[in-house]
Amino acid sequence: MFINLYESLFKGKPVYTLALVPGHNESAGKRKSTKSKKGNKYLRSALTEAAQSVRGSKNYLGALYRRTAGRKGKKRAAIVVAHAILRIAYYLLTRKEMYVDLGKNYFDKQRQVSIVRHSVQRLENLGYRVTITEAS
């Protein structure tokens, strides 16, 4: 079944050819049209609905939705998460692997040093003296 799903969905094409990518066009500081290309409308609607359903979940996709929605808005976040779901499905089907969730703290772990530095700087600006020791 997985082979038939892979062949019918992707037909050997990379994920970006299915036109489920958030549009972005900026030149010289001017933002231009950001409409995404037209692709398979059924696949797009199913994936965006799935993306909107994970927005409150406590996993990598939920964290990605909330992180993107805060900066770009809910609709753009749904497209970003739908694209992530499609990429995950593509790699799971091509590599024949099981899905391993990265966790809801994935983005915080990536930026741990900058988060600590920023938090210390904010506390010092408020007049506190801060010393950081790592918990064992």
Side-chain angles (χ1 to χ4, degrees), residues 107-136:
F107 297 109
D108 290 339
K109 288 177 186 174
Q110 275 190 323
R111 298 185 54 233
Q112 183 176 3
V113 174
S114 64
I115 289 172
V116 170
R117 186 178 63 237
H118 184 258
S119 299
V120 168
Q121 186 179 14
R122 286 186 66 184
L123 286 170
E124 287 175 348
N125 287 342
L126 291 172
Y128 293 98
R129 188 176 313 138
V130 180
T131 56
I132 304 293
T133 56
E134 204 168 303
S136 55

Side-chain angles (χ1 to χ4, degrees), residues 78-109:
I79 295 297
V80 169
V81 174
H83 181 73
I85 292 171
L86 193 59
R87 276 196 331 256
I88 290 169
Y90 177 80
Y91 285 113
L92 291 179
L93 291 173
T94 55
R95 297 177 183 175
K96 296 180 176 76
E97 295 177 357
M98 296 295 293
Y99 177 67
V100 177
D101 188 47
L102 298 173
K104 67 178 181 177
N105 297 329
Y106 175 74
F107 297 109
D108 290 339
K109 288 177 186 174

Side-chain angles (χ1 to χ4, degrees), residues 3-136:
I3 301 300
N4 293 338
L5 179 65
Y6 169 72
E7 289 174 358
S8 66
L9 272 181
F10 303 109
K11 297 184 177 96
K13 300 176 186 175
V15 175
Y16 63 85
T17 59
L18 293 174
L20 191 65
V21 293
H24 177 76
N25 187 7
E26 186 174 329
S27 177
K30 293 186 178 184
R31 292 185 181 141
K32 298 180 181 180
S33 174
T34 58
K35 290 192 174 190
S36 57
K37 296 179 181 178
K38 295 188 181 203
N40 186 336
K41 62 182 179 181
Y42 303 110
L43 181 64
R44 181 187 179 103
S45 67
L47 286 173
T48 52
E49 188 170 337
Q52 289 172 345
S53 71
V54 301
R55 68 177 171 217
S57 64
K58 296 178 180 174
N59 57 19
Y60 168 75
L61 293 173
L64 179 64
Y65 182 91
R66 289 185 295 277
R67 181 175 187 249
T68 309
R71 292 180 289 126
K72 299 287 186 178
K74 293 179 181 178
K75 289 184 178 181
R76 178 82 46 97
I79 295 297
V80 169
V81 174
H83 181 73
I85 292 171
L86 193 59
R87 276 196 331 256
I88 290 169
Y90 177 80
Y91 285 113
L92 291 179
L93 291 173
T94 55
R95 297 177 183 175
K96 296 180 176 76
E97 295 177 357
M98 296 295 293
Y99 177 67
V100 177
D101 188 47
L102 298 173
K104 67 178 181 177
N105 297 329
Y106 175 74
F107 297 109
D108 290 339
K109 288 177 186 174
Q110 275 190 323
R111 298 185 54 233
Q112 183 176 3
V113 174
S114 64
I115 289 172
V116 170
R117 186 178 63 237
H118 184 258
S119 299
V120 168
Q121 186 179 14
R122 286 186 66 184
L123 286 170
E124 287 175 348
N125 287 342
L126 291 172
Y128 293 98
R129 188 176 313 138
V130 180
T131 56
I132 304 293
T133 56
E134 204 168 303
S136 55

